[in-house]
Amino acid sequence: MKGMYFTKEQCLHYIAMAQKSFDEMENGKTALDILKGIYRENFPLESDRIAEMTAFGAIDAIRELDYKGYKNTCEVYWLTEELRKDYNEEEGESTFDAMIAELKTWGVLYAYINQRGIEKDSLKNIVEIGKRGLYYRAIVVMVAYCNQKKEGFPDTVYILDVKDVAKKFFNARGLYDKANYIPQEIMNILRVKEDEYEIKEIPSEGEIILYTRSEPYRFALCTKEFTRGRENLRTVKIKAKCGGDKFAVSIIEVYDDYGRLCEEPKVLRADEYLYCIATEGRLVKFLPAGVVIDADNYLARQDLTKGEVCGRIKGREVRLYGEDISCFDFDKDTGGYIYINEGVAVGFNQPYTTNSDAMHWRNESLYNGGAVEVKADGGKFGILYSNGYGHGALDKELSECLRVQTEQ
């Protein structure tokens, strides 16, 4: 029985795997060497001659598909005539008909139309863009062919060579008519890497984007001993972005050195975000989006797509002002509250701060690399800075909290 077309999931997987190889071409490696390398990586015992034949077969397969798709269309005639008008003043080294014939023989002209339609461009750009699309799709086909061959061509008994795989791949439903070059932002949405399930380090950026998907994101927990004054703590914003399925979410899991799940996973819908403290690529702790005692004493980011923090303290309405409020706390007995905005600790109401205290806190925050966490309780406060030093009577409690977290 004849096999079905590739599924959407298979196509996405092969495109994502091919992206890594295509990036090598961007760095100067030839397409033929990349194609041969993909084949030899999957079948190291086969000869270089077989790898070379399969590589040429992948390129020829794309050329044939493009040729069959566009050989009789008016788009080719229109674009050719438009290029003819500017040819003499732009190139002028050989006859126009000879140049066009060569571009058709290479498959570059058809590949360009497949990439850009009939958008007029210079011959130089047509060659560059056409080759880019031609080789990109050849790499995708080679990856798909090798994976199918390793699996023994499951459910595809009529597939005989790389050209059959190309036809089968480009007839896949619900993906793209052609596997054209995909911008990096879209690749981040579609990426399904082989190491997708591995535990990763947290990137060094101050804000990271997690595209919504069915698989959770797994990060490593910081398990080293906390050293006061010798840390490199940083606040990281983790934001979810729609990955195609508007009903999907971003799930965040944290694992220790033994691969054990450390706490309840965090779930973010598209455009929602939260904050965490990280160091050396590992997560130290999540910062809460709300502090709730009772109906008259709470502060929270009630909408996780926005940074607005508001609530009630001792029955009084309170709103915190700032563009990037990462951490906050309050004391229900005194009514005072403290928070971090853009790395600077800010406090209101006695006994936390006077005007001079506010300036001192700002200077301390900047001098120590920024504040990362605050605490308020019993008329006292604590501030933890990125270098591990603290300020206030409760700063040691914050340090001990980190120590407990990292020893779990």
Side-chain angles (χ1 to χ4, degrees):
M1 183 174 66
K2 195 169 183 178
M4 298 176 62
Y5 295 120
F6 288 133
T7 66
K8 179 179 179 180
E9 289 70 24
Q10 282 177 305
C11 292
L12 295 178
H13 183 61
Y14 297 151
I15 289 174
M17 293 174 66
Q19 182 70 28
K20 179 180 179 182
S21 297
F22 186 74
D23 290 341
E24 295 177 6
M25 193 170 74
E26 296 284 85
N27 295 325
K29 197 171 182 179
T30 68
L32 185 61
D33 285 341
I34 291 172
L35 290 166
K36 289 168 58 178
I38 294 172
Y39 189 88
R40 294 301 301 274
E41 182 179 352
N42 286 278
F43 307 105
L45 299 182
E46 296 197 14
S47 68
D48 189 67
R49 178 59 179 162
I50 294 296
E52 186 174 62
M53 291 173 58
T54 309
F56 278 118
I59 296 174
D60 288 341
I62 303 302
R63 284 174 174 159
E64 287 184 15
L65 287 172
D66 287 340
Y67 174 71
K68 290 179 180 178
Y70 296 102
K71 66 176 180 177
N72 294 322
T73 61
C74 59
E75 287 94 338
V76 176
Y77 176 80
W78 184 90
L79 182 60
T80 300
E81 293 306 307
E82 287 298 308
L83 292 173
R84 187 189 299 276
K85 297 176 183 178
D86 301 329
Y87 180 74
N88 289 331
E89 54 186 58
E90 182 177 302
E91 302 292 341
E93 294 182 358
S94 60
T95 67
F96 178 78
D97 289 335
M99 175 66 75
I100 290 297
E102 192 173 11
L103 292 179
K104 290 181 178 179
T105 301
W106 291 346
V108 170
L109 183 63
Y110 300 113
Y112 170 81
I113 295 174
N114 188 31
Q115 292 285 104
R116 301 285 289 271
I118 56 173
E119 179 181 334
K120 185 179 177 181
D121 210 328
S122 67
L123 281 174
K124 179 180 179 182
N125 287 342
I126 286 176
V127 171
E128 180 180 341
I129 295 170
K131 283 185 176 180
R132 181 188 182 94
L134 176 69
Y135 294 145
Y136 179 84
R137 287 179 285 133
I139 290 172
V140 173
V141 165
M142 178 63 85
V143 169
Y145 173 77
C146 289
N147 278 269
Q148 288 288 304
K149 184 176 179 179
K150 282 195 300 184
E151 296 172 5
F153 297 129
D155 300 324
T156 56
V157 293
Y158 286 94
I159 288 183
L160 299 177
D161 59 26
V162 68
K163 292 185 179 181
D164 294 308
V165 172
K167 294 175 185 177
K168 182 180 173 66
F169 183 88
F170 292 123
N171 283 324
R173 300 294 189 255
L175 180 66
Y176 305 97
D177 291 334
K178 304 290 185 291
N180 292 329
Y181 177 72
I182 303 174
Q184 190 60 46
E185 182 177 354
I186 305 301
M187 278 306 306
N188 289 336
I189 296 176
L190 302 179
R191 192 177 298 277
V192 186
K193 291 183 177 179
E194 289 182 308
D195 63 350
E196 199 67 55
Y197 292 94
E198 292 183 358
I199 300 171
K200 308 290 182 63
E201 290 191 348
I202 293 181
S204 59
E205 293 84 0
E207 177 177 341
I208 60 176
I209 301 296
L210 302 181
Y211 288 90
T212 58
R213 64 184 195 188
S214 57
E215 301 87 1
Y217 292 87
R218 296 174 168 88
F219 293 116
L221 178 72
C222 177
T223 55
K224 73 180 184 67
E225 184 178 354
F226 179 85
T227 304
R228 185 178 177 85
R230 296 184 180 181
E231 294 297 321
N232 186 23
L233 306 171
R234 59 191 179 90
T235 301
V236 178
K237 177 191 286 187
I238 303 177
K239 185 173 183 178
K241 190 170 182 179
C242 183
D245 182 355
K246 64 180 181 180
F247 298 107
V249 296
S250 294
I251 305 170
I252 308 167
E253 297 178 345
V254 184
Y255 291 82
D256 64 16
D257 294 337
Y258 300 98
R260 297 175 303 197
L261 187 64
C262 297
E263 58 180 274
E264 190 74 18
K266 303 292 184 184
V267 178
L268 295 175
R269 296 180 177 85
D271 297 324
E272 292 184 339
Y273 61 90
L274 52 73
Y275 293 90
C276 71
I277 300 175
T279 183
E280 299 175 5
R282 291 174 170 252
L283 188 139
V284 176
K285 67 184 299 184
F286 289 108
L287 294 171
V291 181
V292 180
I293 297 177
D294 53 41
D296 284 326
N297 293 278
Y298 66 90
L299 283 176
R301 285 178 53 222
Q302 299 181 33
D303 183 348
L304 293 184
T305 66
K306 301 177 181 178
E308 181 181 84
V309 179
C310 56
R312 299 168 64 89
I313 302 178
K314 300 182 72 172
R316 178 174 53 90
E317 299 291 335
V318 174
R319 185 184 304 273
L320 307 188
Y321 293 95
E323 298 296 325
D324 193 18
I325 300 175
S326 57
C327 185
F328 48 87
D329 199 10
F330 67 91
D331 180 7
K332 72 179 183 66
D333 296 325
T334 65
Y337 55 93
I338 181 174
Y339 64 97
I340 298 173
N341 178 47
E342 298 181 335
V344 175
V346 182
F348 288 92
N349 294 353
Q350 293 295 340
Y352 303 116
T353 181
T354 62
N355 289 336
S356 61
D357 288 330
M359 184 59 69
H360 177 69
W361 283 11
R362 177 179 177 81
N363 293 339
E364 284 285 305
S365 298
L366 297 176
Y367 178 78
N368 290 290
V372 295
E373 191 174 13
V374 292
K375 182 178 178 63
D377 187 40
K380 302 176 183 177
F381 70 88
I383 306 171
L384 181 65
Y385 300 112
S386 64
N387 58 10
Y389 281 120
H391 182 65
L394 301 181
D395 76 297
K396 291 185 178 180
E397 291 189 20
L398 292 173
S399 300
E400 289 300 318
C401 180
L402 291 184
R403 188 188 303 274
V404 172
Q405 178 83 3
T406 57
E407 289 178 354
Q408 285 181 344

